[in-house]
Amino acid sequence: MKIHPLEKLNIWRQSLVGQLLLRFWVCHIIFFTLIGAIQYTSLKNSLYQSVEQNLLSDYYAIRNSMGSWLSSSEFPPGRFSELRPGNFVAFYTSDHQLKSIVYSYGKANSTVPNLSRSQLQFDLAEKARSGGCFIFEDTDEQQYMLMVAPVVTNQLSVNSLPLEQNNDIQPYAGYALIGQPLAEQDLILSRNLRGYTFNAIIIILLSTFFTALVLQKPLEPLLNISYTARKIAAGRYDLRLPYMNKTASEIQQLREALNHMLGQMENALNTERSAKNRMARFIADASHELRTPLTSIRGFLEILQRTGMTDKETLDAAHQTMLIETERLIRLTEGLLTLNRIAQEEINSDHSEELNSGLHDVLPELMPLLAPLLKDRTFRFNGQDFRTIDDFVSEVLDTSQVLPLKPDELKQILYNLVNNAIQHTLSGGTIDILAKSENSRFILSVRDNGEGIPAEDVPHIFERFFQGDRSRSHGKGQGSGLGLAIVSELVYLRGGEIRVESTPGEGTSFTIFFPLVLVKNDSLMTQNNCLICHR
C-alpha cells in the first residue's frame, strides 16, 4: 500500500528522530535569530555613529562661512569640497524658508533629498535646540541622517562656543540643515543580513544532516527494543532484550527494567496457566469423585423403585450401600470445604493465641475415633503399645511440647495420617507415632509397615484427588484423595515441612517438622527458625 507523502511526513514528525530534529531546529532558529539581531543592531549603531561623526565634521568645516552666506548678499557656492561626497547643507531663514543648498562634489540630484518640494515635517528650531542627529525619510522613501545647526548674527560669539551651546544664542539668522544619505549604510546592512541568513541556513542544514547521522547509533538500541517488544506482543514471552555495549545508561536501565517486567509477566502467565490446568484437573477429579457415589445411589434407588423389593435383607443391603456412599459424599464435601478454608487464610497469619496445641490435648480425643478402625493392628506411640486414653495421658505425653497449630488442625492431621496408614496396612500390621524435639524443631512421624507407595506415585501423593492405581486404590478403603492434600496444606499454612519416605512392600513414613514451641511459665516462646514446607 502506497503511503501519501503528507502521511509519511506526519509519521516522521511523530518519530523520536523527527521530534529531536524539530527541537534542534527550533533551538538553532532562536539562537541564530538572537545572534543575528545583536549583530545587526551593533553594525547599524556603528555605521550610524560614523555618519554622525561625518555630519559633525562637515559642520565644523563650513560653520565659519554660514553666517555671511545667510545674512549677506553673498551666495554660497553650489558645491563645497570640504563636505564629504554625497553630503549636503541646506540653509533656511528664521521663518523656515529654504534659501540655498550647498552640495559636495558629486551628483547632487541623487544625494540631496527633495526638501524644496514639500513642507518640512519637523521643526528646525526644536531640532536645533536638541543638538542631535536624526533620521529622515523623504517622499521617495530614501533615508538620510540629518543634523540642524543654528546660524546667528554674532559670528564671533558663535565661533567661540561649541555646537551644543550655540543653540541658546539669540537672535537666529537661520538654520543650517546638514545631511548625509544612508543608502550606502543600508546597503551594507542589507548585504550583511542576507549573508548572515544564508550562512545560518547552510549551517542548520549541514548540522541537521550530521545530527541525523549521529542520532542513528544511539537510537539503534531503541529500535531493537521496539522490534523485540513486537515479537513479545505476538506471544514470544520467553524473549529478553540482549545486553547492548556502548549505549546510554538510561537505555541500559530501560533494558533491565523491561527484562525484569518480562520475567514477572512470564512468571505470572505460567502461574495463571498452571492454575488453570490445576483448576481444570480439580474440576474433572471432583466431578468424577462426586459422580461415582451419586451414580451408585441412583442405581439402587432405580432398582428399588422398579422391582419394588420387599425382602428385608435386600433392602438393608441397599440401604447400607447408599448410606456408605452418602457418607462418602459428606466426607468429600467436608474435605473440599476444608481445603477452601485453608486457601482463604494467609500463611503464618497472626493467631498466636490459638496456634498452641499439643498431643496431650488431641490424642485423648482422637483415640475413640481411631480404635474402631485399628481392629487387630498394633498402635504404638514412641515405641510403646497403647490401647487406652489414660495410658497416653499419664505415661508418655509431654505437656510442655506445643505445636503452632489449632487443636482441630492437629487432630485432623493425625487422623488423616493414621487413617491413611490403617487403610494400607494389612491385619496384624503396626502403626507408629513418633514425637520428639531435635535441633529447635518438633518432629512428628506416622509410620506403617504396609504395602508402601510406588516410587512414581510419591511426587503426586499430596495432590488433590490423587489415588495411586496400585497402592492407593479405592478398593482399599473409602478415601476421596483429599486427606493427604489437607495435611500438606495445613502444614504449609503453619510454616512447617512434610516429607514422605516409602518402600514398596515394607511401609511408608510421613514426617512433619515444625518450629519448636515450648510452654514455660504459662507463656509461649517460639523459636524463629521456622522451616518452609518443600512440596
Side-chain angles (χ1 to χ4, degrees):
M1 180 178 178
K2 188 176 181 180
I3 302 178
H4 194 271
L6 291 179
E7 187 175 353
K8 287 184 178 180
L9 179 61
N10 187 53
I11 294 174
W12 176 85
R13 185 177 60 84
Q14 294 178 355
S15 66
L16 182 57
V17 175
Q19 292 288 324
L20 291 175
L21 289 180
L22 286 175
R23 285 161 175 77
F24 173 83
W25 289 340
V26 171
C27 293
H28 273 63
I29 290 173
I30 294 175
F31 172 78
F32 281 114
T33 301
L34 291 176
I35 296 300
I38 294 173
Q39 179 178 331
Y40 182 86
T41 302
S42 299
L43 180 60
K44 181 178 179 180
N45 292 337
S46 176
L47 292 174
Y48 283 9
Q49 286 178 1
S50 177
V51 173
E52 291 180 7
Q53 294 295 327
N54 293 339
L55 294 179
L56 188 60
S57 176
D58 289 346
Y59 165 74
Y60 284 114
I62 64 172
R63 68 174 180 174
N64 294 329
S65 306
M66 289 191 306
S68 59
W69 291 343
L70 191 61
S71 60
S72 65
S73 59
E74 181 182 356
F75 294 98
R79 300 181 184 277
F80 196 64
S81 60
E82 278 77 3
L83 293 178
R84 295 180 180 274
N87 289 10
F88 63 91
V89 180
F91 292 98
Y92 288 85
T93 62
S94 58
D95 56 356
H96 294 189
Q97 296 297 319
L98 179 64
K99 186 175 182 180
S100 61
I101 298 178
V102 177
Y103 309 122
S104 64
Y105 291 111
K107 295 181 180 180
N109 294 334
S110 63
T111 58
V112 178
N114 191 4
L115 298 175
S116 60
R117 297 181 182 179
S118 60
Q119 187 177 1
L120 291 176
Q121 300 177 1
F122 50 87
D123 185 80
L124 291 173
E126 182 180 352
K127 294 297 183 180
R129 283 192 295 270
S130 65
C133 297
F134 60 97
I135 297 176
F136 171 77
E137 184 174 332
D138 65 3
T139 55
D140 296 329
E141 298 183 353
Q142 299 294 324
Q143 288 188 331
Y144 299 86
M145 181 75 73
L146 303 178
M147 183 184 74
V148 179
V151 180
V152 297
T153 56
N154 189 348
Q155 190 63 37
L156 293 176
S157 62
V158 173
N159 294 339
S160 62
L161 295 175
L163 176 63
E164 57 271 14
Q165 296 184 14
N166 290 342
N167 302 334
D168 298 329
I169 299 176
Q170 295 293 339
Y172 292 161
Y175 304 93
L177 180 63
I178 309 171
Q180 178 177 334
L182 298 177
E184 183 177 353
Q185 286 73 21
D186 290 341
L187 181 60
I188 293 175
L189 289 173
S190 177
R191 289 177 178 176
N192 181 269
L193 182 60
R194 287 196 301 268
Y196 178 83
T197 304
F198 177 80
N199 292 334
I201 293 175
I202 294 299
I203 291 174
I204 291 176
L205 293 178
L206 290 177
S207 59
T208 299
F209 174 75
F210 288 110
T211 302
L213 291 179
V214 171
L215 286 176
Q216 295 300 320
K217 189 64 176 179
L219 294 180
E220 184 178 350
L222 293 179
L223 297 177
N224 294 335
I225 291 175
S226 177
Y227 177 74
T228 305
R230 284 194 293 270
K231 283 188 174 181
I232 294 172
R236 294 287 305 278
Y237 301 112
D238 59 323
L239 292 180
R240 294 295 182 271
L241 301 174
Y243 178 79
M244 294 165 282
N245 294 322
K246 297 181 180 180
T247 188
S249 59
E250 291 83 0
I251 296 180
Q252 289 288 9
Q253 294 174 5
L254 176 63
R255 182 193 67 84
E256 294 174 1
L258 289 176
N259 281 342
H260 178 72
M261 181 188 69
L262 292 173
Q264 298 284 40
M265 288 177 56
E266 185 179 13
N267 292 336
L269 291 172
N270 291 337
T271 301
E272 182 183 2
R273 189 180 297 111
S274 177
K276 287 182 178 179
N277 293 336
R278 289 197 303 270
M279 179 60 68
R281 186 170 63 251
F282 170 77
I283 293 174
D285 293 341
S287 301
H288 174 74
E289 293 294 332
L290 291 171
R291 182 178 60 186
T292 301
L294 288 174
T295 301
S296 177
I297 294 172
R298 178 182 178 182
F300 277 102
L301 289 175
E302 289 178 348
I303 292 174
L304 292 175
Q305 184 181 25
R306 184 172 58 251
T307 61
M309 289 186 298
T310 58
D311 181 37
K312 185 178 185 303
E313 183 177 353
T314 303
L315 289 175
D316 289 343
H319 290 159
Q320 181 65 26
T321 301
M322 287 188 291
L323 179 61
I324 292 173
E325 295 297 337
T326 303
E327 291 176 350
R328 182 179 169 192
L329 283 174
I330 293 174
R331 288 196 303 271
L332 178 61
T333 304
E334 290 177 346
L336 292 174
L337 292 174
T338 300
L339 287 172
N340 181 69
R341 175 182 60 80
I342 295 173
Q344 299 302 319
E345 291 194 47
E346 295 182 2
I347 298 177
N348 295 328
S349 57
D350 187 13
H351 298 287
S352 57
E353 71 283 355
E354 302 176 8
L355 304 182
N356 48 76
S357 57
L359 294 176
H360 62 282
D361 297 323
V362 174
L363 280 177
E365 300 177 4
L366 194 61
M367 282 303 301
L369 301 176
L370 296 176
L373 303 176
L374 288 171
K375 296 181 180 179
D376 58 348
R377 299 175 182 84
T378 300
F379 183 76
R380 297 189 303 187
F381 186 89
N382 284 345
Q384 300 184 39
D385 295 343
F386 294 98
R387 287 287 180 178
T388 65
I389 299 174
D390 295 336
D391 293 336
F392 282 103
V393 175
S394 61
E395 296 185 22
V396 299
L397 295 180
D398 186 355
T399 58
S400 66
Q401 292 175 337
V402 179
L403 300 177
L405 293 165
K406 297 178 182 179
D408 290 342
E409 294 174 349
L410 179 57
K411 185 187 299 184
Q412 188 164 29
I413 289 174
L414 287 173
Y415 180 84
N416 288 350
L417 290 178
V418 174
N419 185 39
N420 181 77
I422 291 173
Q423 292 182 25
H424 303 285
T425 302
L426 300 177
S427 298
T430 301
I431 298 173
D432 287 282
I433 293 181
L434 302 176
K436 63 179 179 178
S437 301
E438 181 181 281
N439 298 328
S440 302
R441 296 187 301 178
F442 183 81
I443 303 175
L444 178 65
S445 298
V446 178
R447 301 177 181 177
D448 64 67
N449 58 356
E451 58 193 26
I453 306 173
E456 63 271 16
D457 291 343
V458 172
H460 306 288
I461 60 173
F462 294 117
E463 296 178 2
R464 300 177 183 184
F465 299 111
F466 178 79
Q467 298 180 37
D469 294 335
R470 290 169 289 182
S471 63
R472 292 295 190 261
S473 63
H474 255 318
K476 300 291 183 178
Q478 298 297 325
S480 62
L482 295 178
L484 294 180
I486 292 174
V487 171
S488 175
E489 293 288 347
L490 284 174
V491 172
Y492 174 71
L493 178 68
R494 302 309 177 196
E497 176 188 5
I498 184 169
R499 300 175 185 173
V500 59
E501 296 178 359
S502 183
T503 303
E506 297 183 9
T508 303
S509 173
F510 290 91
T511 305
I512 299 174
F513 302 89
F514 274 113
L516 183 60
V517 180
L518 300 178
V519 177
K520 292 185 179 180
N521 300 327
D522 297 329
S523 61
L524 293 176
M525 180 179 70
T526 305
Q527 303 295 332
N528 294 325
N529 54 338
C530 174
L531 295 177
I532 301 300
C533 176
H534 300 283
R535 302 167 58 198

